[in-house]
Amino acid sequence: MAKGSITAVAALAVIGLAQGFSKPVEPSKAVPSAATVQEGRSIHERLVGHSLTVIATDKDNKRSLGSGVLFSNNGVLYCLTAAHVVGDGKGIYIVCHQNIETEATTAWRGFVCAMDSESDWAIMSLVRVGESVTGICPAEFSGAPIRIGQRVIAVGSPIGEHNTVTEGIVANNRRVVEWTNDRHFVITCDGGSGSSGGGVFDAETGRCIGIVVRRSVSTGMIYALPIDTILKDIQALGQPQLLPPT
């Protein structure tokens, strides 16, 4: 894979000028009580706390909707999503609908830190808009080999239906697709427009093993990019602060 497409961005404060950000701002910190909020919940409810809705506006003011995964590195919050969801990154809003009972939300502006348009992943730092509430819980990741038949759970916002959870299995774990030389794995979970960038989680451990990048119109199955590929790309960038925890 040609890594010339990998882009590291030192500062994208210009994205926030419309909101009055004239200089780099302090990134959002993880919520200390997030872990305790998850106690007693099912794995499906816990994964909701990792799921984000990504709303991006391009230079022509066209809006796109996608999903993302919340993670933390040294207490700083980031969003992992698909690069095609972010687009040119003129304006990016990210929302976590983290409380199932109260429908409480936390919103951020997103600032692209690094992305690979060929592999189709992007990482954004987050700057909170308004007040934060409890229930935010950054995901943990796994770069372990993906197995055919492995039970998985996909979480995303298809057609704007945030925190939609579907289950399936890994149907193929070594698929090379036409738009890139990277190997993807195929899952039997349902999805729709807005699912791209959402997390694919191991159904037993709850760890994120990949993100959704495409959906087959003919078969309905989802193509996911393994976390292992993203970790290797980030290491090649020399930006260890962006590495998701494994």
Side-chain angles (χ1 to χ4, degrees):
M1 178 177 62
K3 285 301 154 192
S5 61
I6 299 180
T7 304
V9 184
L12 281 182
V14 66
I15 297 177
L17 289 179
Q19 296 295 315
F21 298 131
S22 59
K23 59 182 180 180
V25 288
E26 184 69 18
S28 290
K29 303 292 185 178
V31 178
S33 59
T36 59
V37 174
Q38 299 289 59
E39 292 181 2
R41 289 185 169 183
S42 71
I43 188 169
H44 302 84
E45 291 174 318
R46 293 199 303 271
L47 295 183
V48 162
H50 309 327
S51 180
L52 302 172
T53 300
V54 180
I55 305 167
T57 305
D58 65 15
K59 61 183 179 181
D60 298 319
N61 290 321
K62 293 181 179 179
R63 181 173 291 184
S64 64
L65 178 69
S67 306
V69 182
L70 182 71
F71 74 92
S72 171
N73 190 317
N74 291 324
V76 178
L77 291 176
Y78 295 94
C79 170
L80 171 64
T81 187
H84 74 267
V85 171
V86 173
D88 61 19
K90 177 185 176 183
I92 306 170
Y93 284 94
I94 298 164
V95 181
C96 181
H97 301 266
Q98 72 271 24
N99 193 309
I100 298 174
E101 291 80 15
T102 65
E103 297 188 357
T105 63
T106 297
W108 299 271
R109 291 299 304 271
F111 297 85
V112 178
C113 299
M115 67 186 298
D116 185 338
S117 56
E118 182 181 340
S119 293
D120 203 3
W121 61 263
I123 290 178
M124 294 174 284
S125 61
L126 306 177
V127 178
R128 193 174 68 243
V129 178
E131 296 297 321
S132 176
V133 297
T134 59
I136 298 172
C137 187
E140 293 183 341
F141 293 73
S142 173
I146 295 167
R147 311 178 311 277
I148 293 178
Q150 182 175 350
R151 290 178 54 247
V152 295
I153 299 172
V155 187
S157 303
I159 323 176
E161 295 293 337
H162 57 265
N163 292 343
T164 297
V165 179
T166 61
E167 291 190 58
I169 63 169
V170 174
N172 189 322
N173 65 348
R174 295 182 62 83
R175 180 69 182 269
V176 177
V177 291
E178 64 272 13
W179 63 86
T180 176
N181 291 324
D182 289 314
R183 291 192 179 276
H184 292 64
F185 62 99
V186 181
I187 58 177
T188 60
C189 298
D190 293 327
S193 177
S195 297
S196 291
V200 179
F201 301 87
D202 181 272
E204 294 183 3
T205 66
R207 289 178 176 266
C208 183
I209 61 172
I211 60 170
V212 173
V213 290
R214 295 288 177 97
R215 177 179 178 271
S216 171
V217 176
S218 58
T219 67
M221 291 192 292
I222 290 174
Y223 293 88
L225 182 67
I227 287 298
D228 181 56
T229 298
I230 300 172
L231 294 177
K232 290 176 180 177
D233 286 351
I234 296 173
Q235 289 170 341
L237 280 174
Q239 290 192 303
Q241 75 277 12
L242 299 181
L243 284 172
T246 55

